């Protein structure tokens, strides 16, 4: 994770996962809920100003050698793609995330090699990434399971709003 510290992030692309596929899988797909102050992602591709790319992923402790949040180098980032009707996955530009010089802080670890939460600071904004996942209960409510294989993301303590757009300086605004 720390390899992003002091590097200039120019683009973010994420594979978002819906919170629910709707009643009995019959839709409509639910991407957000007021009880969950996070954006839920399967992966986040990060492009740097020198065209270096990384993918941020999360993994359960399954003995594979990866546990928690981790980065892998990529040749290029994933390009956004149209969401198939009824799919709970969509790949999109994360324009609501700031771009600029990043500093990284490990907020929560589980042993020497398992990073569970990181904070990415870009100028005055704080991006929190957490190795956790949202599960839908039988009654339609949601709960968050820590130490899971999705990435829950917040900006400045709130769920990012994909309706925000970046200004020319890189800050997000309505």
């Amino acid at each position: 994770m720390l390899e992003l510290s002091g590097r200039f992030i120019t683009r973010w692309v994420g594979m978002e996962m819906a919170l629910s596929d709707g009643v009995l899988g019959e839709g409509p797909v639910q991407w957000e809920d007021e009880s969950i102050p996070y954006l839920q992602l399967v992966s986040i591709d990060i492009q740097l100003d020198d065209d270096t790319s990384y993918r941020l992923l999360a993994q359960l402790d399954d003995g594979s050698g990866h546990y928690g949040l981790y980065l892998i180098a990529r040749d290029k980032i994933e390009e956004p793609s149209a969401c198939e009707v009824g799919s709970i996955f969509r790949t999109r530009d994360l324009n609501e995330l700031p771009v600029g010089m990043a500093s990284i802080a490990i907020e929560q670890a589980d042993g020497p090699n398992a990073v569970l939460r990181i904070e990415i600071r870009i100028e005055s904004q704080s991006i929190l990434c957490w190795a956790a996942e949202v599960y839908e209960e039988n009654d339609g409510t949601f709960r968050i399971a820590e130490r899971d294989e999705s990435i829950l993301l917040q900006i400045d303590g709130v769920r990012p709003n994909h309706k925000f757009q970046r200004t020319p300086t890189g800050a997000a605004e309505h």
Side-chain angles (χ1 to χ4, degrees):
M1 245 42 83
L2 298 177
E3 53 262 60
L4 295 176
S5 232
R7 306 289 298 275
F8 195 96
I9 297 174
T10 60
R11 186 174 177 204
W12 306 82
V13 175
M15 180 181 284
E16 187 176 2
M17 185 168 88
L19 301 178
S20 171
D21 61 357
V23 179
L24 301 174
E26 307 252 339
V29 173
Q30 186 175 349
W31 296 99
E32 58 186 272
D33 185 88
E34 65 183 31
S35 69
I36 303 296
Y38 297 92
L39 177 64
Q40 180 170 246
L41 300 145
V42 173
S43 64
I44 303 170
D45 284 0
I46 303 164
Q47 185 171 344
L48 304 177
D49 63 345
D50 64 359
D51 287 330
T52 303
S53 299
Y54 291 95
R55 176 167 283 174
L56 179 63
L57 296 160
Q59 179 63 37
L60 292 167
D61 188 9
D62 64 358
S64 67
H66 293 291
Y67 170 39
L69 298 169
Y70 64 98
L71 280 176
I72 58 171
R74 303 271 297 172
D75 290 333
K76 61 180 186 171
I77 64 173
E78 187 85 17
E79 289 300 324
S81 59
C83 179
E84 292 182 27
V85 175
S87 175
I88 63 166
F89 300 102
R90 62 184 179 190
T91 301
R92 65 179 183 85
D93 277 302
L94 298 173
N95 291 325
E96 60 269 40
L97 301 184
V99 294
M101 192 65 68
S103 65
I104 308 297
I106 295 173
E107 295 291 310
Q108 181 185 6
D110 189 12
N113 298 317
V115 175
L116 300 175
R117 290 182 202 237
I118 62 167
E119 178 190 30
I120 304 169
R121 291 205 63 84
I122 296 180
E123 294 185 11
S124 65
Q125 292 189 285
S126 169
I127 302 164
L128 177 72
C129 297
W130 180 22
E133 190 163 327
V134 177
Y135 286 91
E136 184 176 18
E137 301 292 349
N138 291 333
D139 64 0
T141 60
F142 298 100
R143 71 175 171 83
I144 295 174
E146 295 187 61
R147 294 173 170 81
D148 215 313
E149 57 192 359
S150 289
I151 302 166
L152 300 186
L153 183 140
Q154 289 183 328
I155 297 176
D156 298 327
V158 297
R159 183 188 193 282
N161 182 341
H162 73 274
K163 296 175 182 87
F164 282 16
Q165 295 299 314
R166 237 182 260 122
T167 66
T169 63
E173 66 177 30
H174 288 338

